[in-house]
Amino acid sequence: MGSGHEQVVFCSDPGSGLRAVIAVYSTALGPALGGTRFFPYASEEAAVADALALSKAMAYKNSLAGLDLGGGKAVIIGDPHTDKTEALLRAYGRFVESLGGRYLTACDVGTYNADLDVVARETRFAHGRSEAFGGCGDSSVLTAFGVFQGMRAAAQHRWGSPTLAGRTVAVAGVGKVGSWLVDRLVADGASVVVTDVDPAAVARVRARHSTVQAVADTATLVRTPHAVYAPCALGGALDDETVAVLPAEIVCGGANNQLAHEGTAELLRGRGILYAPDYLVNAGGVIQVEDERHGFSFPRAESKATSIFDVALRVFAAADAEGVSPAVAADRLAEERMSSVGRLATIRLPR
């Protein structure tokens, strides 16, 4: 109750084996949109903690992206490779439907467009579906595009030019988002070095781009000379040890909740590393999913996602002017919009 969330729902369906948590942080701006993460959490407590953190980040992301959406997130406890079934996904869909539209779900780690097609058989509030069912398809395409726009803005702010040409970018995680980001970086003229826990993911990237270099693991990657570090796997990537050894001048990646603790942003600032807040730059995917609600148009969604460049520049400038980290500056901008709309709603709603 002290987390500030509006609602947390525990979902259990013994018949299908479903164990899930849906967390709604805020509906001040509109229905709480956020993906469904399918992951083998070590404990129920770990699952709840992740749902709470991710749903709050979604509220801030949607606010900063200028969307009329609140923030929520769901986590399903289990191994998506062995535990995911039609029965389980449909049971989950019934729980989403029971919330009456307060929570809108989509894809996240461990879930894909085809999974949301199944969830949508039980609820009106499943988005990020496959194109065959009228959905927006793979949202990782615009997620990567948004990260690239944020990285261009960071380059503009730090080096005076919005390009990564001639710079080395280290990408940790080349799955759905990271691989698309590599495509953008190579096309822009950057040198790219990557790592991933899945050797097949690395092999796919290197098959497309023979110039991309690979290293064994993240510990090696963060010690490899580079100008930009792009965490694109799971959260908590920027811990004290990593920040202490990073050679990068810029951190900008697609992973959610990259900062290991509240003090990490200040540690980055103390080392002179420009941090592009994750929930700002990885908002391209949620922009793509939100556009599905209006009859999906990829060109329209991509045009909206280009605004990430301008918002990032605004955040960097505000951070410099206020003498704070970009993480603090971004939070203030997001909170300002949520609170102002919330005050208007308070005035207008009573009869």
Side-chain angles (χ1 to χ4, degrees):
M1 294 296 288
S3 67
H5 287 68
E6 291 182 11
Q7 187 176 14
V8 180
V9 179
F10 291 82
C11 313
S12 175
D13 181 66
S16 66
L18 173 72
R19 292 187 301 147
V21 181
I22 301 173
V24 174
Y25 181 75
S26 171
T27 57
L29 295 173
L33 174 64
T36 298
R37 178 164 295 190
F38 205 134
F39 190 76
Y41 292 96
S43 65
E44 184 176 287
E45 290 77 12
V48 172
D50 207 25
L52 294 178
L54 291 167
S55 57
K56 180 176 181 179
M58 285 303 304
Y60 280 61
K61 178 187 295 188
N62 293 336
S63 175
L64 208 56
L67 302 175
D68 293 328
L69 292 168
K73 204 77 170 186
V75 300
I76 297 175
I77 304 171
D79 186 337
H81 298 103
T82 58
D83 298 330
K84 187 189 297 180
T85 63
E86 177 185 342
L88 183 147
L89 292 173
R90 294 184 67 166
Y92 169 66
R94 291 192 291 274
F95 278 105
V96 172
E97 179 67 21
S98 73
L99 295 179
R102 283 178 53 78
Y103 171 63
L104 311 178
T105 195
C107 300
D108 197 79
V109 174
T111 58
Y112 301 87
N113 302 129
D115 299 326
L116 270 295
D117 293 338
V118 176
V119 173
R121 292 166 67 181
E122 300 288 348
T123 179
R124 298 160 288 169
F125 309 115
H127 300 284
R129 289 165 291 152
S130 64
E131 295 178 65
F133 287 87
C136 66
D138 184 4
S139 64
S140 62
V141 177
L142 282 193
T143 301
F145 177 73
V147 174
F148 181 62
Q149 294 304 316
M151 201 177 288
R152 290 179 61 245
Q156 172 71 49
H157 187 79
R158 175 52 58 97
W159 301 312
S161 179
T163 179
L164 285 306
R167 310 285 181 180
T168 297
V169 182
V171 181
V174 284
K176 290 193 289 187
V177 174
S179 60
W180 286 109
L181 178 61
V182 170
D183 293 346
R184 296 277 183 181
L185 293 169
V186 171
D188 195 40
S191 298
V192 181
V193 57
V194 304
T195 194
D196 196 289
V197 295
D198 181 6
V202 174
R204 286 192 293 269
V205 167
R206 298 199 68 217
R208 293 203 306 271
H209 305 290
S210 59
T211 59
V212 169
Q213 301 297 308
V215 296
D217 51 38
T218 302
T220 304
L221 184 70
V222 298
R223 291 168 173 82
T224 301
H226 58 268
V228 182
Y229 181 53
C232 293
L234 295 177
L238 298 172
D239 54 23
D240 292 6
E241 180 181 357
T242 298
V243 172
V245 300
L246 268 182
E249 294 185 54
I250 292 169
V251 170
C252 178
N256 290 311
N257 294 339
Q258 294 169 20
L259 306 180
H261 56 78
E262 290 185 1
T264 305
E266 195 58 34
L267 290 177
L268 289 164
R269 180 168 172 259
R271 289 208 56 222
I273 299 173
L274 178 63
Y275 172 61
D278 48 44
Y279 72 80
L280 161 61
V281 302
N282 67 16
V286 75
I287 291 171
Q288 180 170 336
V289 171
E290 192 276 338
D291 195 82
E292 180 183 296
R293 301 172 68 211
H294 313 291
F296 182 62
S297 164
F298 186 87
R300 180 176 62 201
E302 185 178 49
S303 177
K304 292 178 185 176
T306 60
S307 66
I308 291 173
F309 179 88
D310 295 321
V311 178
L313 286 179
R314 182 182 173 194
V315 165
F316 298 145
D320 287 350
E322 298 167 16
V324 297
S325 72
V328 172
D331 282 357
R332 289 175 178 174
L333 286 174
E335 289 164 356
E336 180 181 338
R337 181 167 181 257
M338 284 190 284
S339 64
S340 63
V341 174
R343 286 195 296 272
L344 290 173
T346 302
I347 294 169
R348 294 172 178 170
L349 286 177
R351 294 290 187 267

